Amino acid sequence: MSDPQCFPKSGPSVDIAQQATPCFLVTVDTEEEFDWSASFSRDRHGLTHLKDIEPFQKLCERNGVKPVYLLDYPVAQDGFGAELFADWVRSNVAEVGLQLHPWVTPPFDEEVNVRNSYACNLAPELERAKLFALYELVEKKIGCHPDSYRAGRYGAGAHTPDILVELGVRVDSSVRSLFDYHSQGGPNYARCPLEPYWARPGKLIELPVTSLFGGVFRSMGPLLFDQVFGSETMRSLLARSGMLERIALTPEGIPVDKAIQAIDLALEQNIPVLTFSFHSPSLAVGHTPYVRTDKELEDFYLWWEQVFAHLAKRNITPSSINEVATAVFEK
């Protein structure tokens, strides 16, 4: 069994001097709908929200943004989904990468439970078999060679980088900096860098999902947030007081004013690439805790419009996985 703590927590910084920086990426965990409060299941899921993704794609196109859709197995296997994303890839208005949900990806040789929902806890040969199955499906159905990966639930482990290198994938984005999933059996990314770094020097870039600490004590965030102020109640009090809060660059649960604050903090810290993320079922009502009503869906889109406007105001340019990888590997 792999040790989830062994995914490279840091490495040499990636030189992206040829890439216009600062820049940003929009990544979408493109996955099946399921009940987030229920136990994991191989078959209790749906894909009805795929028809609701196009308005978001159009919003991105109007703002010169090429989103990265990280497809999991059920989405890539779906006829409508495969045609939708293949068309956007052919039109060069979006990119497609991989996202592994072990419980819905063959071969089905493991018990379905919380621990095994993190691919890093699978036997190395099983994680490899599932990743190869996902890669081959996306390659066949979408007609492209996916160049990016995010482990579902951010569950990358010791063997993940070598599997990705074997597949020819050049960019991993499984690290969610400043977050610790150790209590659930997952990885601990609390001390990972915010900047891109080499997971395998010369072969695999790590492009962390961006989160930052805000507040008076933000410089002490990695120490205080998990080790001293471990309870949600204490964290809430700290955030409301302006002393310390963790701000992820996502419309899911993060107010737009906080996201804008985090963008400005990222500029202060000279972070070259900002990686935004969210789950595709949030683009329809009723599939995630973040979008339960029509009003919340309207607010979801308004969040993006305001964020895109602020990024433009701060001269942070939209980029893509291909542009970042090209700047690194072909310099």
PDB file of all heavy atoms in Angstrom, residues 28-44:
ATOM      1  N   VAL A  28     -11.716  22.515 -13.999  1.00  0.00           N
ATOM      2  CA  VAL A  28     -13.041  22.026 -13.620  1.00  0.00           C
ATOM      3  C   VAL A  28     -12.947  20.524 -13.366  1.00  0.00           C
ATOM      4  O   VAL A  28     -12.610  19.751 -14.266  1.00  0.00           O
ATOM      5  CB  VAL A  28     -14.087  22.293 -14.727  1.00  0.00           C
ATOM      6  CG1 VAL A  28     -15.477  21.888 -14.246  1.00  0.00           C
ATOM      7  CG2 VAL A  28     -14.059  23.763 -15.144  1.00  0.00           C
ATOM      8  N   ASP A  29     -13.207  20.114 -12.139  1.00  0.00           N
ATOM      9  CA  ASP A  29     -13.279  18.686 -11.817  1.00  0.00           C
ATOM     10  C   ASP A  29     -14.572  18.160 -12.426  1.00  0.00           C
ATOM     11  O   ASP A  29     -15.655  18.281 -11.827  1.00  0.00           O
ATOM     12  CB  ASP A  29     -13.259  18.472 -10.312  1.00  0.00           C
ATOM     13  CG  ASP A  29     -11.917  18.827  -9.679  1.00  0.00           C
ATOM     14  OD1 ASP A  29     -10.982  19.170 -10.431  1.00  0.00           O
ATOM     15  OD2 ASP A  29     -11.800  18.760  -8.445  1.00  0.00           O
ATOM     16  N   THR A  30     -14.470  17.592 -13.598  1.00  0.00           N
ATOM     17  CA  THR A  30     -15.641  17.242 -14.398  1.00  0.00           C
ATOM     18  C   THR A  30     -16.015  15.802 -14.103  1.00  0.00           C
ATOM     19  O   THR A  30     -15.355  14.870 -14.553  1.00  0.00           O
ATOM     20  CB  THR A  30     -15.338  17.463 -15.894  1.00  0.00           C
ATOM     21  OG1 THR A  30     -14.723  18.759 -16.046  1.00  0.00           O
ATOM     22  CG2 THR A  30     -16.599  17.414 -16.718  1.00  0.00           C
ATOM     23  N   GLU A  31     -17.093  15.642 -13.358  1.00  0.00           N
ATOM     24  CA  GLU A  31     -17.377  14.357 -12.738  1.00  0.00           C
ATOM     25  C   GLU A  31     -18.869  14.081 -12.667  1.00  0.00           C
ATOM     26  O   GLU A  31     -19.695  14.943 -12.947  1.00  0.00           O
ATOM     27  CB  GLU A  31     -16.789  14.346 -11.323  1.00  0.00           C
ATOM     28  CG  GLU A  31     -17.386  15.426 -10.417  1.00  0.00           C
ATOM     29  CD  GLU A  31     -16.636  15.604  -9.116  1.00  0.00           C
ATOM     30  OE1 GLU A  31     -15.385  15.551  -9.137  1.00  0.00           O
ATOM     31  OE2 GLU A  31     -17.290  15.790  -8.073  1.00  0.00           O
ATOM     32  N   GLU A  32     -19.187  12.860 -12.269  1.00  0.00           N
ATOM     33  CA  GLU A  32     -20.578  12.450 -12.126  1.00  0.00           C
ATOM     34  C   GLU A  32     -21.225  13.147 -10.928  1.00  0.00           C
ATOM     35  O   GLU A  32     -20.538  13.621 -10.015  1.00  0.00           O
ATOM     36  CB  GLU A  32     -20.656  10.930 -11.947  1.00  0.00           C
ATOM     37  CG  GLU A  32     -20.209  10.403 -10.582  1.00  0.00           C
ATOM     38  CD  GLU A  32     -18.712  10.337 -10.394  1.00  0.00           C
ATOM     39  OE1 GLU A  32     -17.966  10.765 -11.289  1.00  0.00           O
ATOM     40  OE2 GLU A  32     -18.273   9.883  -9.320  1.00  0.00           O
ATOM     41  N   GLU A  33     -22.553  13.200 -10.939  1.00  0.00           N
ATOM     42  CA  GLU A  33     -23.309  13.711  -9.792  1.00  0.00           C
ATOM     43  C   GLU A  33     -23.519  12.577  -8.801  1.00  0.00           C
ATOM     44  O   GLU A  33     -23.833  11.458  -9.192  1.00  0.00           O
ATOM     45  CB  GLU A  33     -24.677  14.213 -10.255  1.00  0.00           C
ATOM     46  CG  GLU A  33     -24.638  15.200 -11.404  1.00  0.00           C
ATOM     47  CD  GLU A  33     -25.724  14.923 -12.434  1.00  0.00           C
ATOM     48  OE1 GLU A  33     -26.664  14.158 -12.140  1.00  0.00           O
ATOM     49  OE2 GLU A  33     -25.609  15.447 -13.553  1.00  0.00           O
ATOM     50  N   PHE A  34     -23.329  12.885  -7.518  1.00  0.00           N
ATOM     51  CA  PHE A  34     -23.620  11.899  -6.484  1.00  0.00           C
ATOM     52  C   PHE A  34     -23.914  12.638  -5.184  1.00  0.00           C
ATOM     53  O   PHE A  34     -23.634  13.841  -5.066  1.00  0.00           O
ATOM     54  CB  PHE A  34     -22.478  10.897  -6.308  1.00  0.00           C
ATOM     55  CG  PHE A  34     -21.142  11.515  -5.945  1.00  0.00           C
ATOM     56  CD1 PHE A  34     -20.736  11.624  -4.619  1.00  0.00           C
ATOM     57  CD2 PHE A  34     -20.289  11.979  -6.939  1.00  0.00           C
ATOM     58  CE1 PHE A  34     -19.509  12.179  -4.293  1.00  0.00           C
ATOM     59  CE2 PHE A  34     -19.051  12.542  -6.622  1.00  0.00           C
ATOM     60  CZ  PHE A  34     -18.658  12.639  -5.297  1.00  0.00           C
ATOM     61  N   ASP A  35     -24.487  11.934  -4.256  1.00  0.00           N
ATOM     62  CA  ASP A  35     -24.844  12.515  -2.960  1.00  0.00           C
ATOM     63  C   ASP A  35     -23.588  12.618  -2.104  1.00  0.00           C
ATOM     64  O   ASP A  35     -23.044  11.614  -1.668  1.00  0.00           O
ATOM     65  CB  ASP A  35     -25.893  11.629  -2.272  1.00  0.00           C
ATOM     66  CG  ASP A  35     -26.399  12.226  -0.965  1.00  0.00           C
ATOM     67  OD1 ASP A  35     -25.814  13.224  -0.483  1.00  0.00           O
ATOM     68  OD2 ASP A  35     -27.377  11.682  -0.417  1.00  0.00           O
ATOM     69  N   TRP A  36     -23.139  13.856  -1.876  1.00  0.00           N
ATOM     70  CA  TRP A  36     -21.899  14.063  -1.137  1.00  0.00           C
ATOM     71  C   TRP A  36     -22.008  13.622   0.325  1.00  0.00           C
ATOM     72  O   TRP A  36     -20.988  13.406   0.980  1.00  0.00           O
ATOM     73  CB  TRP A  36     -21.497  15.536  -1.193  1.00  0.00           C
ATOM     74  CG  TRP A  36     -20.993  15.973  -2.536  1.00  0.00           C
ATOM     75  CD1 TRP A  36     -21.240  15.385  -3.742  1.00  0.00           C
ATOM     76  CD2 TRP A  36     -20.150  17.093  -2.808  1.00  0.00           C
ATOM     77  NE1 TRP A  36     -20.613  16.064  -4.751  1.00  0.00           N
ATOM     78  CE2 TRP A  36     -19.938  17.119  -4.214  1.00  0.00           C
ATOM     79  CE3 TRP A  36     -19.560  18.074  -2.026  1.00  0.00           C
ATOM     80  CZ2 TRP A  36     -19.153  18.099  -4.833  1.00  0.00           C
ATOM     81  CZ3 TRP A  36     -18.788  19.044  -2.642  1.00  0.00           C
ATOM     82  CH2 TRP A  36     -18.582  19.058  -4.028  1.00  0.00           C
ATOM     83  N   SER A  37     -23.232  13.501   0.823  1.00  0.00           N
ATOM     84  CA  SER A  37     -23.405  13.113   2.231  1.00  0.00           C
ATOM     85  C   SER A  37     -23.569  11.607   2.408  1.00  0.00           C
ATOM     86  O   SER A  37     -23.610  11.120   3.537  1.00  0.00           O
ATOM     87  CB  SER A  37     -24.626  13.822   2.819  1.00  0.00           C
ATOM     88  OG  SER A  37     -25.820  13.399   2.172  1.00  0.00           O
ATOM     89  N   ALA A  38     -23.669  10.867   1.303  1.00  0.00           N
ATOM     90  CA  ALA A  38     -23.881   9.415   1.371  1.00  0.00           C
ATOM     91  C   ALA A  38     -22.557   8.684   1.212  1.00  0.00           C
ATOM     92  O   ALA A  38     -21.516   9.278   0.900  1.00  0.00           O
ATOM     93  CB  ALA A  38     -24.859   8.976   0.286  1.00  0.00           C
ATOM     94  N   SER A  39     -22.593   7.389   1.429  1.00  0.00           N
ATOM     95  CA  SER A  39     -21.401   6.578   1.233  1.00  0.00           C
ATOM     96  C   SER A  39     -21.089   6.466  -0.259  1.00  0.00           C
ATOM     97  O   SER A  39     -21.958   6.657  -1.112  1.00  0.00           O
ATOM     98  CB  SER A  39     -21.608   5.188   1.835  1.00  0.00           C
ATOM     99  OG  SER A  39     -22.741   4.565   1.251  1.00  0.00           O
ATOM    100  N   PHE A  40     -19.840   6.155  -0.572  1.00  0.00           N
ATOM    101  CA  PHE A  40     -19.435   6.024  -1.970  1.00  0.00           C
ATOM    102  C   PHE A  40     -20.095   4.798  -2.589  1.00  0.00           C
ATOM    103  O   PHE A  40     -20.330   3.789  -1.927  1.00  0.00           O
ATOM    104  CB  PHE A  40     -17.915   5.913  -2.072  1.00  0.00           C
ATOM    105  CG  PHE A  40     -17.204   7.181  -1.707  1.00  0.00           C
ATOM    106  CD1 PHE A  40     -16.715   7.378  -0.418  1.00  0.00           C
ATOM    107  CD2 PHE A  40     -17.041   8.198  -2.630  1.00  0.00           C
ATOM    108  CE1 PHE A  40     -16.068   8.546  -0.068  1.00  0.00           C
ATOM    109  CE2 PHE A  40     -16.406   9.379  -2.297  1.00  0.00           C
ATOM    110  CZ  PHE A  40     -15.918   9.549  -1.003  1.00  0.00           C
ATOM    111  N   SER A  41     -20.383   4.914  -3.888  1.00  0.00           N
ATOM    112  CA  SER A  41     -21.074   3.839  -4.593  1.00  0.00           C
ATOM    113  C   SER A  41     -20.563   3.769  -6.025  1.00  0.00           C
ATOM    114  O   SER A  41     -20.225   4.788  -6.630  1.00  0.00           O
ATOM    115  CB  SER A  41     -22.588   4.088  -4.595  1.00  0.00           C
ATOM    116  OG  SER A  41     -23.249   3.225  -5.502  1.00  0.00           O
ATOM    117  N   ARG A  42     -20.533   2.564  -6.569  1.00  0.00           N
ATOM    118  CA  ARG A  42     -20.112   2.408  -7.958  1.00  0.00           C
ATOM    119  C   ARG A  42     -21.213   2.810  -8.944  1.00  0.00           C
ATOM    120  O   ARG A  42     -20.922   3.107 -10.103  1.00  0.00           O
ATOM    121  CB  ARG A  42     -19.711   0.957  -8.225  1.00  0.00           C
ATOM    122  CG  ARG A  42     -18.516   0.486  -7.411  1.00  0.00           C
ATOM    123  CD  ARG A  42     -17.673  -0.480  -8.210  1.00  0.00           C
ATOM    124  NE  ARG A  42     -16.739  -1.229  -7.388  1.00  0.00           N
ATOM    125  CZ  ARG A  42     -15.534  -0.806  -7.020  1.00  0.00           C
ATOM    126  NH1 ARG A  42     -15.119   0.396  -7.394  1.00  0.00           N
ATOM    127  NH2 ARG A  42     -14.742  -1.562  -6.275  1.00  0.00           N
ATOM    128  N   ASP A  43     -22.469   2.819  -8.491  1.00  0.00           N
ATOM    129  CA  ASP A  43     -23.545   3.003  -9.467  1.00  0.00           C
ATOM    130  C   ASP A  43     -24.577   4.070  -9.109  1.00  0.00           C
ATOM    131  O   ASP A  43     -25.422   4.397  -9.951  1.00  0.00           O
ATOM    132  CB  ASP A  43     -24.270   1.675  -9.718  1.00  0.00           C
ATOM    133  CG  ASP A  43     -24.737   1.011  -8.438  1.00  0.00           C
ATOM    134  OD1 ASP A  43     -24.778   1.678  -7.388  1.00  0.00           O
ATOM    135  OD2 ASP A  43     -25.051  -0.191  -8.491  1.00  0.00           O
ATOM    136  N   ARG A  44     -24.552   4.642  -7.923  1.00  0.00           N
ATOM    137  CA  ARG A  44     -25.550   5.651  -7.557  1.00  0.00           C
ATOM    138  C   ARG A  44     -25.061   7.041  -7.983  1.00  0.00           C
ATOM    139  O   ARG A  44     -24.588   7.831  -7.160  1.00  0.00           O
ATOM    140  CB  ARG A  44     -25.839   5.614  -6.050  1.00  0.00           C
ATOM    141  CG  ARG A  44     -26.546   4.348  -5.585  1.00  0.00           C
ATOM    142  CD  ARG A  44     -27.174   4.548  -4.204  1.00  0.00           C
ATOM    143  NE  ARG A  44     -26.189   4.947  -3.208  1.00  0.00           N
ATOM    144  CZ  ARG A  44     -25.491   4.109  -2.459  1.00  0.00           C
ATOM    145  NH1 ARG A  44     -25.639   2.797  -2.620  1.00  0.00           N
ATOM    146  NH2 ARG A  44     -24.631   4.553  -1.557  1.00  0.00           N
TER     147      ARG A  44
END
